[in-house]
Amino acid sequence: MKKIFTIILLATFSAAVFSQESNKQLLQLEKYLEELDFGVSHQQTNCGGSTNIRHTWRAGFYETTQKIPVDEGLSEEKRKQYQAYHDKFIAKRWQNLEHAVDSVRLAFARLSKESSKSYLFEDHKDGTDTIKYALAFARSDGRVPYLYEEKKSNRAEFWGAQEAASFNFDKNFDSQGQFFVGKGSYEHVYEIETGLTWENDMKSFDIEAFRALIQPVINPLLSLKGAKTYPVYWRHDVGYEDEVGINGGLTHKTTSYGKNATGQGLTTGTVYFIPAQYEAEAEALYKQLDSLTYAYVNQHPEQPYIYNYSKGYSRYNLEEIVEGVKYHDDDNYSLRSYCSDDGFFILSLTTKGDIWIPSDWPKLKSWINGEKVYLKGMKPKDKKK
C-alpha cells in the first residue's frame, strides 16, 4: 500500500512541477543580467538539505579600473591603439555593471512591497559603495524566513524561505588606493515542495537505468568517421600527494563530502569523442542528452541529483549536465561534457569517494596516483634538452 501511495505521489509531483513558477520579476532581472554579459547559472537539485526541489540562479560581478600593462616591444602607435581599445572595453564593462546594479536596485525595491520580509541597505562614501539587499517569500505552511548576515564577507540573505533573493556588492579602492574594484554576487533560490522524506521515500540514483536511457542517442554518432570511445580509470589513494589546485595543478579535485572527504577516490566510466567537423551532430546530441536528463530527474524526485541548466559544451571546464548524488553508501554518477579544437566529449562516470580529474584526461587511458597510461598516439614527446 505504501509503495502504491509513493507512486501516486511521484506521478502527482511530476505533473505539478511544471505548473509552479518562480517570481517573474526576478526571472526578467536574470534575463537582463545575461544580456549585459554577466553569466547567470541555473541549477536544480533535491539534495540541498531537504528533499524539496531547489532551483538556484547565481551571477557574479567583478570589474576593475586597473590598467593592463602594454607590451613594451610594440610600437608607439600599436601601444596607443591597444590602450585605447582596452580603455573602451573597461568603460563598457563598468557601464554594464552600473546598469546591472540599477536594475537590481529597482527590482528589489518593487518586490520588497510584495515579499514577506525584505532588507535593503546601502552605504556610499568617497566613491566607495556597500550594498546589501535581501528579500524572501514565506512558505505555504506559514514559516517565516530569517535574516542571516555574514559580517566577515559583508553579506546578507534570508534562510528558510519558499523563495528568496539576495544581492551583495562592494566597490572600493584597492589596498594602495590606485584603482577601483567592484565585486559582488546575486543569488535567487526557489523551492518546490515534494512531500517526500529522505529516510522513507528517497532511494539510489538508478545509474543503470539512466545509462540505458541515454545510450541509444549516443550510439548512432559512434559510426561517424573518427568518433571513438575509451575507458576512464582515475584512482587516487589515501596518502598520495600531488600538485593539486581547485582551479589548476596536475589534478583537479571535486567532492560532495566536505570535511568528511578522505582523499580517496576511484572514477570509472566511458569517454565518447566526436571529431570537430561534426559540430552540428555533436550539438544535436547534447540537446538530446540534456532533454532526456531533464525529463528523467523531474520524473524521479525520489532519486538524489544535481541538474545544471546549460546551453551546450564548454571550452573551459569539464561541465556537469547531471550528478546522481550519493545516497547512503552508493556511488556517485555524473554525465559531463567538454569541447576543444579537436572535437566534442561526453563522459559517463561513476565515482566511489572523491573525484580526482587529471588535467590531461582527454589523452589518458588511466591515471593511478600520478602514474599515467596514455591512449595510443597521445603520449607527449619528450622535450629536447
Side-chain angles (χ1 to χ4, degrees), residues 129-150:
D129 305 308
T130 298
I131 300 174
K132 294 191 288 186
Y133 294 157
L135 53 85
F137 298 88
R139 294 184 177 277
S140 57
D141 60 8
R143 281 183 289 164
V144 179
Y146 63 94
L147 183 69
Y148 171 78
E149 284 193 81
E150 173 58 58

Side-chain angles (χ1 to χ4, degrees), residues 24-90:
K24 291 183 178 180
Q25 289 189 57
L26 291 175
L27 294 179
Q28 290 173 352
L29 172 62
E30 288 144 16
K31 183 178 179 181
Y32 184 59
L33 294 178
E34 283 275 12
E35 292 174 358
L36 292 175
D37 202 26
F38 295 106
V40 179
S41 65
H42 181 191
Q43 187 179 86
Q44 176 180 321
T45 180
N46 65 344
C47 55
S50 76
T51 59
N52 291 339
I53 304 300
R54 184 180 179 91
H55 289 262
T56 305
W57 293 262
R58 292 188 179 95
F61 307 86
Y62 185 90
E63 302 297 338
T64 176
T65 59
Q66 184 179 20
K67 293 183 180 294
I68 298 177
V70 179
D71 185 356
E72 293 298 328
L74 297 175
S75 66
E76 182 66 24
E77 182 180 358
K78 286 291 185 181
R79 285 203 300 272
K80 287 182 178 180
Q81 289 177 352
Y82 181 86
Q83 195 63 62
Y85 170 81
H86 179 262
D87 291 347
K88 184 177 180 180
F89 174 79
I90 292 298

Side-chain angles (χ1 to χ4, degrees), residues 45-313:
T45 180
N46 65 344
C47 55
S50 76
T51 59
N52 291 339
I53 304 300
R54 184 180 179 91
H55 289 262
T56 305
W57 293 262
R58 292 188 179 95
F61 307 86
Y62 185 90
E63 302 297 338
T64 176
T65 59
Q66 184 179 20
K67 293 183 180 294
I68 298 177
V70 179
D71 185 356
E72 293 298 328
L74 297 175
S75 66
E76 182 66 24
E77 182 180 358
K78 286 291 185 181
R79 285 203 300 272
K80 287 182 178 180
Q81 289 177 352
Y82 181 86
Q83 195 63 62
Y85 170 81
H86 179 262
D87 291 347
K88 184 177 180 180
F89 174 79
I90 292 298
K92 179 62 176 176
R93 292 293 305 175
W94 275 90
Q95 184 182 56
N96 286 354
L97 181 60
E98 290 176 1
H99 289 326
V101 172
D102 286 343
S103 298
V104 171
R105 180 180 285 115
L106 181 60
F108 275 69
R110 287 175 174 172
L111 288 171
S112 64
K113 301 175 183 178
E114 307 171 15
S115 62
S116 301
K117 283 192 172 184
S118 63
Y119 175 84
L120 305 176
F121 172 83
E122 294 195 31
D123 182 61
H124 308 280
K125 183 178 181 182
D126 299 329
T128 64
D129 305 308
T130 298
I131 300 174
K132 294 191 288 186
Y133 294 157
L135 53 85
F137 298 88
R139 294 184 177 277
S140 57
D141 60 8
R143 281 183 289 164
V144 179
Y146 63 94
L147 183 69
Y148 171 78
E149 284 193 81
E150 173 58 58
K151 300 297 183 182
K152 186 176 180 180
S153 60
N154 202 28
R155 288 176 52 83
E157 58 186 320
F158 280 105
W159 287 5
Q162 183 82 44
E163 184 167 20
S166 62
F167 176 71
N168 297 275
F169 179 78
D170 293 284
K171 186 180 82 170
N172 296 291
F173 281 112
D174 81 314
S175 57
Q176 287 78 38
Q178 296 177 346
F179 54 87
F180 276 109
V181 173
K183 57 184 177 180
S185 62
Y186 167 87
E187 183 174 276
H188 168 204
V189 296
Y190 174 64
E191 287 195 3
I192 301 172
E193 297 176 5
T194 64
L196 302 175
T197 64
W198 186 261
E199 291 299 329
N200 296 325
D201 301 309
M202 302 299 283
K203 63 179 185 179
S204 305
F205 187 87
D206 196 332
I207 297 175
E208 294 308 314
F210 184 78
R211 280 179 169 158
L213 177 68
I214 64 174
Q215 199 64 47
V217 303
I218 296 176
N219 287 339
L221 276 74
L222 299 181
S223 62
L224 296 173
K225 185 178 180 179
K228 58 185 178 182
T229 68
Y230 54 90
V232 167
Y233 192 92
W234 305 330
R235 196 181 90 202
H236 189 289
D237 294 332
V238 174
Y240 173 72
E241 296 183 3
D242 57 1
E243 296 179 30
V244 177
I246 296 301
N247 295 309
L250 294 180
T251 56
H252 172 83
K253 175 190 175 186
T254 62
T255 177
S256 301
Y257 316 124
K259 295 180 180 179
N260 296 322
T262 63
Q264 183 172 349
L266 173 62
T267 297
T268 58
T270 306
V271 174
Y272 302 94
F273 171 76
I274 303 167
Q277 63 263 36
Y278 301 111
E279 181 177 0
E281 291 85 348
E283 294 290 354
L285 172 63
Y286 185 96
K287 290 179 180 178
Q288 285 182 290
L289 290 173
D290 181 60
S291 179
L292 287 172
T293 300
Y294 183 66
Y296 184 86
V297 297
N298 282 312
Q299 290 165 6
H300 295 283
E302 81 286 5
Q303 298 180 21
Y305 69 85
I306 299 173
Y307 168 76
N308 295 293
Y309 290 79
S310 173
K311 297 178 181 178
Y313 298 92

Side-chain angles (χ1 to χ4, degrees), residues 12-31:
T12 303
F13 169 77
S14 61
V17 67
F18 297 103
S19 65
Q20 302 186 54
E21 291 186 359
S22 58
N23 189 278
K24 291 183 178 180
Q25 289 189 57
L26 291 175
L27 294 179
Q28 290 173 352
L29 172 62
E30 288 144 16
K31 183 178 179 181

